[in-house]
Amino acid sequence: METATIILPFVGAGLVGALFSRFTGMNLSMCMLCIFLYMGATPEQTLAVLLMFNAFTYFTTYSQTHPVQFSTFTFFKGAKFIIPIVITFALAMVQPFFGIVFFVIVFLAEIFAKMYKATDRAVRPAKKELAKMAVIASALGLLGTAGVMLIPERFYFIAAGVVIIGFVVFIRAAADRKRWQRSWDRILYFTALIMGVTGIDASDWLGAVKRKDVSPLARMYPLVINIAIIAALIGSYVWYRYFSLAALFATIGASLGIRFFGVYRHGERGTFSYITLAITFVAVLVFMIIQPQPTGLPEFPEAHTSPVWKLLNF
């Protein structure tokens, strides 16, 4: 019974976030950032939980329109997929975080390989150039993650709200698709830094206001930012030593919402929805007025450490 009382709020949070995002167009990670803070998450908890949430829900969102089949995998095709499954379970016995992150990395790597192959050869960047983009974004994400410790705990919710309002203002100003053409890549890299601080993945919003001339980075941004998310997730664990098994159930709630109701599709032509921006702005103002307190997220007893991990005293 105690376990259910811990799990259900997270499942409900993920479901509510997915539904609100689906019917308003508000970015899902922005929704979840507000929800996790409202639930009492500290800055370090918020970041770690949201980064893991983003990685899992990206797979769910992608597979919603692109069916994932083992027979089409690149690295672990067909029956070979049993290899990472075995490794995942072995790592999870030592430390759940390592097992889950490895599992996410394998699935995302397969998705990224599929995305890269599906991109027209005439416009897709070389693998070396793509790797350079991912390294830069990851470095900025890690820098942002490390910087969270500099933000006073009681003011983090204000910083989060200001960032979301900043996105609203920016997306509104980016309606002119010729504006900031030359600086667009720098703006995209800056969002990787913001992701490291807040956990926000705004790839759906940014994709909806892409410039008239699409750069290689803009074209591959979902891939690049998700690699940076994984790097930031690992960095957050190294710096803050926080991992929540309970919070993973938020991804289950969100997955249910996405599977049954889909995701909001922003048009890539014309202006961005004023209604979406207005709802997001009002929602964040209400969130900031509430002034959530960082009391800490509920956890399973001894959730962070497996018996094997204790035995090794790692």
Side-chain angles (χ1 to χ4, degrees):
M1 191 65 181
E2 181 183 357
T3 300
T5 59
I6 295 174
I7 290 174
L8 289 178
F10 286 106
V11 175
L15 181 59
V16 169
L19 292 178
F20 190 79
S21 175
R22 168 64 182 86
F23 294 109
T24 66
M26 184 176 177
N27 175 268
L28 178 56
S29 61
M30 295 179 190
C31 289
M32 296 309 300
L33 173 59
C34 295
I35 290 173
F36 285 138
L37 286 171
Y38 177 76
M39 293 176 67
T42 64
E44 295 82 4
Q45 289 178 333
T46 301
L47 185 63
V49 169
L50 189 53
L51 290 173
M52 182 69 80
F53 178 89
N54 288 341
F56 267 101
T57 51
Y58 180 74
F59 167 72
T60 304
T61 303
Y62 180 86
S63 61
Q64 186 78 355
T65 54
H66 302 81
V68 178
Q69 299 175 340
F70 294 158
S71 60
T72 62
F73 278 8
T74 300
F75 304 109
F76 299 99
K77 189 173 183 178
K80 291 182 181 178
F81 194 71
I82 192 68
I83 297 173
I85 291 178
V86 171
I87 295 175
T88 295
F89 276 105
L91 289 173
M93 290 181 65
V94 176
Q95 171 51 274
F97 175 82
F98 293 151
I100 292 172
V101 169
F102 177 77
F103 180 78
V104 171
I105 289 174
V106 169
F107 256 106
L108 289 183
E110 295 291 352
I111 289 175
F112 295 159
K114 189 174 181 179
M115 289 172 59
Y116 184 77
K117 291 178 180 178
T119 305
D120 189 345
R121 287 177 177 270
V123 296
R124 77 184 182 192
K127 294 178 181 177
K128 185 178 294 187
E129 184 181 1
L130 182 59
K132 180 181 177 181
M133 297 174 190
V135 168
I136 294 173
S138 297
L140 290 169
L142 287 168
L143 180 63
T145 302
V148 170
M149 65 182 71
L150 302 177
I151 303 176
E153 193 174 76
R154 65 183 183 279
F155 296 135
Y156 184 78
F157 81 92
I158 298 176
V162 169
V163 167
I164 296 175
I165 291 175
F167 267 112
V168 170
V169 174
F170 168 73
I171 294 297
R172 174 65 186 90
D176 180 357
R177 296 179 186 272
K178 294 182 180 179
R179 181 182 291 177
W180 302 319
Q181 180 69 61
R182 294 184 179 180
S183 58
W184 194 249
D185 280 4
R186 290 193 291 273
I187 292 172
L188 293 181
Y189 280 130
F190 180 69
T191 62
L193 178 67
I194 295 299
M195 176 275 297
V197 177
T198 63
I200 292 176
D201 171 14
S203 54
D204 58 340
W205 280 21
L206 294 169
V209 294
K210 62 185 178 181
R211 300 300 84 188
K212 185 177 180 181
D213 297 323
V214 183
S215 68
L217 174 60
R219 197 179 305 278
M220 306 304 294
Y221 182 77
L223 188 156
V224 171
I225 196 64
N226 275 280
I227 292 175
I229 285 172
I230 293 297
L233 174 61
I234 295 173
S236 72
Y237 185 77
V238 170
W239 283 308
Y240 307 120
R241 307 299 291 180
Y242 179 78
F243 168 64
S244 174
L245 279 175
L248 276 178
F249 285 89
T251 65
I252 296 177
S255 296
L256 291 173
I258 293 171
R259 289 299 183 191
F260 286 109
F261 297 96
V263 294
Y264 189 97
R265 297 294 178 186
H266 297 279
E268 295 185 357
R269 296 181 180 180
T271 59
F272 196 89
S273 171
Y274 293 152
I275 295 177
T276 291
L277 295 178
I279 291 175
T280 302
F281 184 78
V282 172
V284 173
L285 285 182
V286 172
F287 161 75
M288 295 176 72
I289 290 172
I290 292 174
Q291 299 184 19
Q293 298 300 311
T295 55
L297 293 174
E299 297 290 346
F300 295 135
E302 302 295 329
H304 301 296
T305 310
S306 69
V308 176
W309 184 264
K310 289 181 178 179
L311 182 64
L312 295 175
N313 194 31
F314 188 78

